[in-house]
Amino acid sequence: MRASQEDFESAMNQVKLLKKDPGNEVKLRLYALYKQATEGPCNMPKPGVFDFINKAKWDAWNALGSLPKETARQNYVDLVSSLTSSESSSQVKPGADREQQEYENLVVTSEDGITKIMFNRPTRKNAISTQMYQEIMLALKAASKDDSTITVVTGNGDYYCSGNDLANFTDIPPGGVEEKAKQSAIMLRDFVGTFIDFPKPLIAVVNGPAVGISVTILGLFDAVYASDRATFHTPFSHLGLSPEGCASYTFPKIMGPAKATEMLIFGKKLTAGEACAQGLVTEVFPDSTFQKEVWTRLKAYSKLPPNSMRISKQVIRNMEKEKLHAVNAEESSVLQERWLSDECINATMNFLSKKAKL
Ligand SMILES: CCCCCCCCCCC/C=C/C(=O)SCCNC(=O)CCNC(=O)[C@H](O)C(C)(C)COP(=O)(O)OP(=O)(O)OC[C@H]1O[C@@H](n2cnc3c(N)ncnc32)[C@H](O)[C@@H]1OP(=O)(O)O
């Protein structure tokens, strides 16, 4: 069942009762979802650049694109529910393993045996900044030790994730671009390694389009549920790059070398249905019932015996671990060179100077 008007109104009241300020990103998200749910797609003229507050609100609302009113209403109710439950769980067990760490770019909640890690930069289509890579690693490490039985990764807003934040290329340290490439290769290897070693069932709830590294690492998840609005795009050649996230190994295994070539070399964008037919996605749901159906199923899975699930995952995955770490190291080292290539620098500059989009 979808969130009713009554659920929506009750969520609006609960927001007023929040004890803790949820922070500007979340408040903007609530504003945008409220406007989308009540008025539909953004219909206001874009405020001037110096009208900071209204520009931020406009950006947040506009970022929701053509998200249907009902989905926005549901997402609003879900977001409020995650805020209120994180407040009440920290009241019930302060200082215990349910304690929530503060993240700037993620919303992490733990409820019903499920830890949910939600990418939370909707105005940037959830692009992964350097800080966000670190936060995702921290959140996964915490989830591996908490008392939840399964861990879910999802996105806030109309996108699941638009991949690496291309602005990461502009933050060059005193050691120069070579030093930046070296540090980035280490960070990338650690980031992907955290997924390879994750001990519990790891599930992606792909709520919208997914790009780049957010697609490649899906090969390291245990199940991938997608809305029929989701697409899967790895435009590495267009960006002068090469695959990461172990996709050079997992994708040919999952879908066969020819289909993997179309995605990883030619940058073919797959619909959710195509990705499911090729084995990258477990199941596709209509967007209108996506959240409801997926979370009902996940709640049922989270009640299965946790040790049995962990051990089964080990049995399924452990034989591959050594190979996956070797692939990860090789992909990261190849990328370290690629980032310094003219092909990559030109593609990134074209995007950042707004001359190109995917
Ligand atoms: C020296 C070496 C340093 C290396 C550091 C790297 C570290 C690890 C790297 C790991 C390897 C990962 C590889 C990848 O993930 S490759 C994929 C990269 N992603 C992209 O190329 C996507 C780029 N974005 C787009 O093409 C479009 O934004 C998109 C199609 C996703 C959406 O288009 P739409 O028109 O719907 O929305 P907007 O473009 O208006 O987006 C809203 C604002 O968000 C900004 N945005 C979106 N995605 C990104 C992104 N990936 N990086 C940076 N910014 C992004 C977009 O620019 C808009 O901003 P403005 O409102 O300011 O215009």
Side-chain angles (χ1 to χ4, degrees), residues 39 54 70 86 100 110 149 225 243 310 330 354 356:
E39 295 179 36
N54 285 321
E70 304 71 43
S86 103
Q100 304 293 315
S110 210
T149 56
Y225 297 123
R310 262 174 190 268
E330 174 64 11
K354 312 260 182 225

Side-chain angles (χ1 to χ4, degrees), residues 226-255:
S227 150
D228 60 9
R229 271 195 333 105
T231 50
F232 298 82
H233 193 192
T234 48
F236 298 129
S237 302
H238 299 72
L239 293 165
L241 294 173
S242 53
E244 35 29 34
C246 293
S248 61
Y249 177 70
T250 57
F251 278 27
K253 263 192 93 178
I254 291 170
M255 57 187 80

Side-chain angles (χ1 to χ4, degrees), residues 124-125 159 162 164-166 213 244 351 354 357-358:
R124 315 304 293 172
K125 308 290 180 194
Y159 258 65
S162 64
N164 182 49
D165 187 328
L166 296 175
I213 191 163
E244 35 29 34
F351 176 80
K354 312 260 182 225
K357 255 185 209 184
L358 292 173

Side-chain angles (χ1 to χ4, degrees), residues 10 27 44 46-47 50 83 87-88 102 127 141 143 165 190 210 232 239 245 249 264 277:
S10 146
K27 284 197 276 197
M44 281 165 36
K46 188 173 185 169
F50 296 114
L83 294 170
E87 279 197 346
S88 60
E102 293 296 324
K141 282 181 185 137
D165 187 328
D190 290 349
F232 298 82
L239 293 165
Y249 177 70
L264 296 175

Side-chain angles (χ1 to χ4, degrees), residues 46 55 59 62-63 121-128 130 133 158-159 161-170 172 177-178 180-182 184-185 187-188 211-214 233-236 239 241-242 244 269 335-336 339-340 351-352 354 356-358:
K46 188 173 185 169
K55 166 85 168 39
D59 282 341
N62 191 50
R121 291 182 84 208
T123 55
R124 315 304 293 172
K125 308 290 180 194
N126 295 326
I128 309 179
T130 306
Y133 282 107
D158 61 340
Y159 258 65
C161 173
S162 64
N164 182 49
D165 187 328
L166 296 175
N168 289 338
F169 285 86
T170 56
I172 304 299
V177 70
E178 281 84 4
K180 171 80 184 182
K182 191 172 154 200
S184 300
M187 181 190 73
L188 176 62
V211 184
I213 191 163
S214 71
H233 193 192
T234 48
F236 298 129
L239 293 165
L241 294 173
S242 53
E244 35 29 34
K269 189 194 284 185
L335 267 173
Q336 184 175 337
W339 289 324
L340 303 176
F351 176 80
L352 293 174
K354 312 260 182 225
K357 255 185 209 184
L358 292 173

